[in-house]
Amino acid sequence: MKPSYYQSSDLKKFKNISDWSPDLGKKFFDYYNSVFEEGALSAREKSLIALAVAHTVQCPYCIDAYTQDGLERGVDKEEMMEALHVAGAIRGGASLVHGVQMMDVYEKRSM
Amino acid sequence: MATKSLKGRVHQLAESTRQLDFLKNGIFAPGGLLPTFEEKIKQSQSLPLRPKTLEILQMNLGYMCNQVCAHCHVDAGPDRKEMMSRKTLEKCLQILEKSPVSTLDLTGGAPEMHPDFRWFVAEASKIGVADFIVRSNLTILRANKKYYDLPDFFKAHRIHVVSSLPFYKKEKTDRQRGEGVFSQSVKALQMLNKVGYGMPGSGLQLDLVYNPSGAFLPANQQALENDFKKALKQDFDIDFNQLFTITNLPISRFLEYLIASENYEEYMQRLVDAFNPEAIANVMCTNTLSISWDGFLYDCDFNQMLDLKVVSPVQHLDDFDLDQLQNREICISQHCYGCTAGAGSSCQGAVV
């Protein structure tokens, strides 16, 4: 067994997921590559969104990949950190907005 | 950040043989993790690599520079005293008159610091090459009053100015090139714009060179050019013509950085993974000759710094014979992966 569930070298093996399901693997990677092409949003903007989402889903492979991708695209550290705060705000907000439910239950059960 | 060259620090990597040993062994040793560059291009039927028509003569006037950049492949700095002699400069003029090159490319160090720089530019411009490039680090234009008139001098001789600017913001630029370099570079670019460089319709070409400020590859050249143009115009009212992206090659001070930061193996893996067979067809060593301060001939400026002279009976300007030189095989090692990764890299930017 590997010493850790996550190995940085596994990122390079991502494409191997197609080995056991070539058709679905191909469809996924075709879709993936299309998503990141220049479009209404620039590839640079998409890279920043990916970085923020990577932190939200806490995927170490994605964090590694999109930090390096951002560096290559000329994204600086202030932009990266602002993107993370967007993720953090939504994630924190998602907890806090449930506070309304807590407040409703509290009020309903209280005299 | 170091304030002296590797040579000034008596660092082991100041010796080209130590660098070459490093590039040949470890992950590239026989049976090692990665294929050598020779093995790689053999697979794409590009071996041996031979020159095409000579188009560019690149002269390195010397290794003295007013900056000590962290990534410098020349190991240039104020402590480097190597400088092309007047006799060698005259020899270059004679060769230029007879040869069919369309581009003369002056580099260094900071070529403007050479005491015969202005004399040489004036003489070479009389010969009339189609594209006469001076590679300027920008800050030299602000380093001393005696350089303040260089933009007018460049203009008078219709020089094509190619300037280094690794980023359009202060932090990344200063981390790579030294504290205060960004603000001085901005002022120098404004001086060049003022005399017409980079301005639409002026015919005065001002190109910028981007190289990554760390252990990663450059992004798409056009996308980065768009970002640079937008930011420099908006923040500093600066115009320029083209942006060239150049990949950092693992030699000299960039090699020192890669080893010290424990990025060497991953960076080399990245270069090898990004090998592009299309780039090999257009690498600059196939249409360039590099001349060192002491008159020796090399396939490129990087080979010059590794002291990999042309593999030819003709190795020095004193014996210059273009026909013989054109029959040579280009000298390669693992640093060449830098020129074939992704969209490729050359002194004129991406090649694919």
Side-chain angles (χ1 to χ4, degrees):
Chain A
M1 188 62 93
K2 291 176 177 177
S4 162
Y5 288 111
Y6 287 116
Q7 302 288 322
S8 60
S9 55
D10 284 353
L11 175 57
K12 287 180 66 180
K13 300 176 191 163
F14 187 13
K15 62 180 186 302
N16 295 358
I17 60 133
S18 298
D19 291 352
W20 291 0
S21 183
D23 291 346
L24 288 176
K26 183 178 181 316
K27 282 177 180 165
F28 171 77
F29 284 114
D30 285 348
Y31 166 76
Y32 190 102
N33 291 331
S34 297
V35 162
F36 283 95
E37 285 173 2
E38 296 277 342
L41 293 175
S42 69
R44 188 180 190 278
E45 288 166 330
K46 290 177 184 181
S47 180
L48 268 169
I49 293 171
L51 183 71
V53 175
H55 283 77
T56 306
V57 297
Q58 292 174 306
C59 166
Y61 302 117
C62 314
I63 291 169
D64 185 353
Y66 284 96
T67 304
Q68 295 202 50
D69 187 68
L71 277 168
E72 292 184 1
R73 293 184 190 284
V75 178
D76 63 29
K77 61 188 181 188
E78 288 82 10
E79 292 172 303
M80 287 191 191
M81 192 53 85
E82 279 189 25
L84 260 62
H85 278 290
V86 173
I90 294 296
R91 201 169 175 133
S95 292
L96 290 172
V97 73
H98 287 79
V100 177
Q101 189 183 358
M102 175 270 286
M103 291 161 79
D104 283 349
V105 173
Y106 186 99
E107 291 299 341
K108 189 177 177 186
R109 302 293 181 201
S110 302
M111 291 177 75
Chain B
M1 191 167 169
T3 54
K4 279 185 176 181
S5 66
L6 291 169
K7 193 175 179 186
R9 285 181 272 143
V10 202
H11 193 289
Q12 58 170 349
L13 287 175
E15 299 297 326
S16 60
T17 49
R18 296 302 292 264
Q19 296 178 51
L20 285 166
D21 278 349
F22 204 88
L23 290 169
K24 280 176 191 162
N25 294 305
I27 47 178
F28 291 107
L33 188 66
L34 298 173
T36 63
F37 188 72
E38 183 177 341
E39 289 164 347
K40 193 76 177 175
I41 67 168
K42 203 171 182 178
Q43 289 165 13
S44 59
Q45 271 87 48
S46 305
L47 197 71
L49 194 58
R50 288 191 181 278
K52 297 186 256 186
T53 308
L54 177 65
E55 293 173 15
I56 303 167
L57 204 59
Q58 188 173 60
M59 295 170 54
N60 194 312
L61 300 191
Y63 305 154
M64 184 181 281
C65 189
N66 57 318
Q67 294 181 185
V68 189
C69 301
H71 71 296
C72 184
H73 74 277
V74 177
D75 192 27
D79 55 52
R80 298 300 300 264
K81 308 298 178 203
E82 299 89 340
M83 211 163 265
M84 197 174 267
S85 69
R86 182 81 166 221
K87 192 179 152 212
T88 304
L89 288 167
E90 284 168 351
K91 196 94 190 172
C92 289
L93 288 172
Q94 288 165 19
I95 286 163
L96 199 59
E97 274 180 333
K98 291 178 201 158
S99 73
V101 300
S102 53
T103 302
L104 177 62
D105 187 337
L106 301 189
T107 188
E112 301 95 326
M113 293 177 85
H114 192 292
D116 287 330
F117 173 74
R118 292 183 194 229
W119 167 81
F120 182 80
V121 168
E123 292 300 311
S125 64
K126 287 180 201 163
I127 295 169
V129 283
D131 189 12
F132 191 169
I133 295 172
V134 171
R135 291 186 187 269
S136 176
N137 69 18
L138 291 175
T139 61
I140 192 67
L141 307 187
R142 303 281 312 159
N144 188 296
K145 276 183 185 170
K146 67 180 177 180
Y147 299 122
Y148 285 2
D149 66 331
L150 274 172
D152 288 313
F153 176 77
F154 290 151
K155 182 180 179 177
H157 295 284
R158 311 300 289 179
I159 295 298
H160 172 180
V161 178
V162 177
S163 293
S164 314
L165 191 70
F167 205 56
Y168 48 78
K169 290 187 183 175
K170 182 178 183 300
E171 192 243 342
K172 284 191 184 187
T173 302
D174 285 1
R175 275 176 71 163
Q176 182 184 99
R177 301 178 75 79
E179 193 59 37
V181 165
F182 183 73
S183 63
Q184 289 302 316
S185 299
V186 163
K187 284 177 187 160
L189 285 169
Q190 288 166 337
M191 286 163 65
L192 287 161
N193 278 172
K194 200 173 172 187
V195 302
Y197 271 99
M199 306 307 285
S202 71
L204 296 169
Q205 189 81 7
L206 172 61
D207 297 329
L208 298 184
V209 172
Y210 162 90
N211 61 288
S213 46
F216 52 92
L217 302 187
N220 175 276
Q221 185 166 274
Q222 189 60 55
L224 275 175
E225 181 181 300
N226 294 343
D227 292 341
F228 266 69
K229 283 196 167 169
K230 191 176 164 196
L232 289 176
K233 187 70 186 170
Q234 188 178 294
D235 296 345
F236 307 106
D237 196 27
I238 286 170
D239 292 279
F240 68 95
N241 297 103
Q242 283 182 276
L243 182 81
F244 299 148
T245 55
I246 297 188
T247 303
N248 290 315
L249 266 62
I251 71 167
S252 195
R253 293 214 286 267
F254 191 66
L255 179 60
E256 179 201 20
Y257 155 76
L258 288 175
I259 296 167
S261 61
E262 298 183 356
N263 275 304
Y264 173 73
E265 290 194 9
E266 278 186 56
Y267 187 72
M268 295 312 297
Q269 177 86 57
R270 182 89 178 85
L271 292 183
V272 173
D273 289 346
F275 175 78
N276 182 354
E278 278 182 62
I280 192 81
N282 299 312
V283 281
M284 65 178 170
C285 51
T286 57
N287 69 351
T288 303
L289 259 182
S290 158
I291 305 171
S292 61
W293 64 277
D294 50 357
F296 283 97
L297 302 167
Y298 301 85
D299 300 304
C300 69
D301 204 48
F302 300 103
N303 277 7
Q304 182 184 140
M305 301 316 148
L306 290 170
D307 199 25
L308 296 171
K309 295 184 177 71
V310 286
V311 182
S312 166
V314 177
Q315 291 198 316
H316 195 272
L317 278 181
D318 289 345
D319 312 307
F320 194 85
D321 180 329
L322 188 54
D323 291 336
Q324 276 209 64
L325 281 164
Q326 289 299 96
N327 285 327
R328 75 191 192 276
E329 276 185 29
I330 290 166
C331 193
I332 54 173
S333 185
Q334 281 50 266
H335 63 294
C336 303
Y337 274 119
C339 289
T340 57
S345 177
S346 75
C347 290
Q348 277 70 39
V351 300
V352 176

